[in-house]
Amino acid sequence: MTRQRVAGLVQCPVLCIGVSADPFAFPDREPLAARFPVAAIAVIEGGMVPLMEQRPAEVAEVISEFLP
């Protein structure tokens, strides 16, 4: 199944988290978010993927702000 087809199946809000210091993943955040009907983008300054290991408090804050 292609990425675009999978994104088309998702109907719930999606949060795309980008880390500004990651030269590989950071440029893909907006094209990725554009594939979903309802998507938000959050940016954490600095950091690299895997973000949960490096910046867990900031990731938790971004997710908490996204969730209702």
Side-chain angles (χ1 to χ4, degrees):
M1 192 175 291
T2 67
R3 289 181 190 176
Q4 189 160 359
R5 186 167 174 212
V6 170
L9 296 174
V10 176
Q11 298 300 315
C12 62
V14 173
L15 174 62
C16 298
I17 303 173
V19 285
S20 64
D22 191 318
F24 302 105
F26 192 69
D28 290 335
R29 74 196 181 288
E30 289 187 22
L32 176 65
R35 294 180 179 183
F36 296 95
V38 180
I41 297 175
V43 176
I44 296 176
E45 295 300 322
M48 298 277 293
V49 173
L51 191 58
M52 285 298 292
E53 293 176 10
Q54 296 178 6
R55 313 284 279 279
E58 290 169 281
V59 172
E61 182 179 341
V62 167
I63 293 171
S64 294
E65 291 173 2
F66 173 72
L67 296 174

